Amino acid sequence: MKHLIDPMDLSVEEIDELLDLADDIIANPKKYESVCAHKKLATLFFEPSTRTRLSFEAAMMELGGNVLGFSSADSSSATKGESVADTVKVVSCYADIIAMRHPKEGAPCLAAMKSDVPIINAGDGGHNHPTQTLTDLLTIRREKGRLDNMIIGCCGDLKFGRTVHSLIKAMSRYSNVHFIMISPEELEIPDYIKEEVFEQGDMSYEQVRTIDEVIDRLDVLYMTRVQRERFFNEADYVRLKDTYILNMKKLKKANKDLSILHPLPRVNEISVEVDDDPRACYFRQALNGKYVRMALILKMLRDVKGE
Ligand code: CP
């Protein structure tokens, strides 16, 4: 059985197939409105979410299927001490496919070993967020018309930001992509990403401390929030949280066709004045998340049936 735990679980061909399917769903929604009739998606969210959980649920509903699940560990039997393994074993009796978010890195991987139905990692700690990556890839492809030959700036909390880790891994499959990592020293990308992805692959990268020094070179600027929930102490969070604030003044030097992405939620790192600039893609990106999750649910259920 195929699960989606890490963006590298998908080949380039599978990613292209999913993005093509998402484009077709956007163009022809009626064609897909009952393709998952009588199927059930369980959303097991042990950690808060707005976009990922609700877009998964909207996706399944728009495919004609049903949803069940919980939105916090507090409303599940995890509070009574039930293990992730037991939870998933039981929920796979009730649902055909499971999307799971958990604060512990590796929890969805453990779940996949125990589950009788496909598991989708909807975010595990500071590790991976593969469906956000599919959302980001669909957005970049729809905005720029390509996934190769580009310079991508990632800005903010690159240490704890799992969406950045997953995006870097996925983009390592495409040619002539250069990453510029913009962060304070304490929030640089983890060594394992530098060693396993950048240094072993063909993709180049550089690290800088300010947006200003690189903004005129970027095709894509991927902003992220400082991940308060993963800090060990509040003082460090308060010191670092407003390091980067993108505003119209900073955008003066940017390319006319820059695409500004953000996985959201945003805190302070993009001023609301930027929202009206056509280069701001982040709300279109959130909508793309629903379509790419529709494509993913459909493909994974078809794979189970051997279609
Ligand atoms: N982008 C993202 O994962 O948002 P949520 O935490 O609201 O799901």
Side-chain angles (χ1 to χ4, degrees):
M1 179 183 316
K2 186 106 188 218
H3 306 280
L4 178 59
I5 306 301
D6 185 297
M8 301 305 261
D9 292 343
L10 294 168
S11 65
V12 176
E13 292 72 26
E14 286 172 317
I15 291 174
D16 289 345
E17 188 192 333
L18 281 168
L19 303 188
D20 291 346
L21 183 54
D23 279 337
D24 196 53
I25 292 169
I26 292 168
N28 306 290
K30 282 200 91 54
K31 197 168 116 186
Y32 296 92
E33 65 187 8
S34 57
V35 286
C36 286
H38 312 297
K39 294 291 180 191
K40 283 171 279 181
L41 164 76
T43 51
L44 310 186
F45 277 62
F46 296 86
E47 197 183 54
S49 166
T50 296
R51 271 146 298 276
T52 310
R53 186 173 66 84
L54 297 182
S55 65
F56 260 118
E57 295 185 357
M60 191 51 157
M61 288 177 198
E62 290 192 25
L63 293 168
N66 297 299
V67 295
L68 65 162
F70 52 80
S71 58
S72 78
D74 291 348
S75 60
S76 78
S77 286
T79 50
K80 301 173 199 162
E82 187 168 47
S83 68
V84 166
D86 284 0
T87 303
V88 161
K89 192 82 192 153
V90 170
V91 174
S92 61
C93 303
Y94 309 143
D96 301 286
I97 187 164
I98 295 172
M100 176 181 154
R101 172 172 287 189
H102 201 283
K104 283 205 179 123
E105 281 93 354
C109 184
L110 172 77
M113 290 179 213
K114 298 289 173 187
S115 177
D116 297 322
V117 301
I119 296 282
I120 303 171
N121 178 4
D124 61 327
H127 198 208
N128 278 310
H129 194 345
T131 64
Q132 180 65 49
T133 303
L134 289 171
T135 302
D136 301 341
L137 296 182
L138 180 64
T139 304
I140 294 171
R141 199 175 82 162
R142 288 181 71 83
E143 298 288 333
K144 311 231 76 85
R146 65 185 194 279
L147 286 171
D148 52 9
N149 299 314
M150 67 177 69
I151 300 180
I152 302 177
C154 294
C155 178
D157 182 349
L158 310 184
K159 178 179 180 184
F160 297 116
R162 60 192 172 199
T163 63
V164 170
H165 306 162
S166 288
L167 180 65
I168 293 169
K169 284 184 183 178
M171 291 304 292
S172 70
R173 298 336 215 328
Y174 297 90
S175 59
N176 196 25
V177 176
H178 178 69
F179 270 96
I180 304 182
M181 315 308 296
I182 310 159
S183 76
E185 191 176 354
E186 293 107 307
L187 297 180
E188 281 182 5
I189 47 163
D191 287 343
Y192 86 91
I193 298 278
K194 291 182 192 169
E195 287 156 16
E196 291 173 24
V197 188
F198 284 124
E199 282 156 27
Q200 286 183 23
D202 290 337
M203 211 165 48
S204 57
Y205 81 106
E206 64 194 277
Q207 299 190 108
V208 299
R209 299 282 175 241
T210 66
I211 298 178
D212 281 354
E213 64 194 283
V214 294
I215 195 154
D216 58 339
R217 294 168 54 201
L218 302 179
D219 298 299
V220 172
L221 174 57
Y222 193 95
M223 295 295 295
T224 63
R225 83 187 155 94
V226 176
Q227 307 256 316
R228 180 181 205 160
E229 65 275 30
R230 311 212 192 280
F231 272 73
F232 292 112
N233 72 71
E234 182 73 6
D236 283 347
Y237 168 72
V238 170
R239 185 169 50 80
L240 293 167
K241 71 183 172 68
D242 292 329
T243 310
Y244 303 106
I245 299 179
L246 184 68
N247 53 27
M248 291 310 293
K249 190 169 165 224
K250 281 211 168 63
L251 279 172
K252 276 209 171 86
K253 282 201 299 175
N255 289 325
K256 293 271 174 291
D257 66 347
L258 174 72
S259 297
I260 305 163
L261 275 68
H262 191 312
L264 305 178
R266 137 178 81 181
V267 186
N268 263 343
E269 58 283 353
I270 303 181
S271 298
V272 290
E273 64 181 8
V274 176
D275 297 358
D276 295 329
D277 190 293
R279 292 170 290 187
C281 304
Y282 30 92
F283 292 115
R284 295 194 289 279
Q285 185 183 358
L287 177 60
N288 288 336
K290 180 185 71 173
Y291 293 117
V292 88
R293 289 180 176 106
M294 288 172 78
L296 181 67
I297 292 167
L298 184 53
K299 179 178 159 38
M300 289 178 85
L301 289 176
R302 279 177 176 168
D303 285 352
V304 169
K305 279 170 71 182
E307 285 176 3

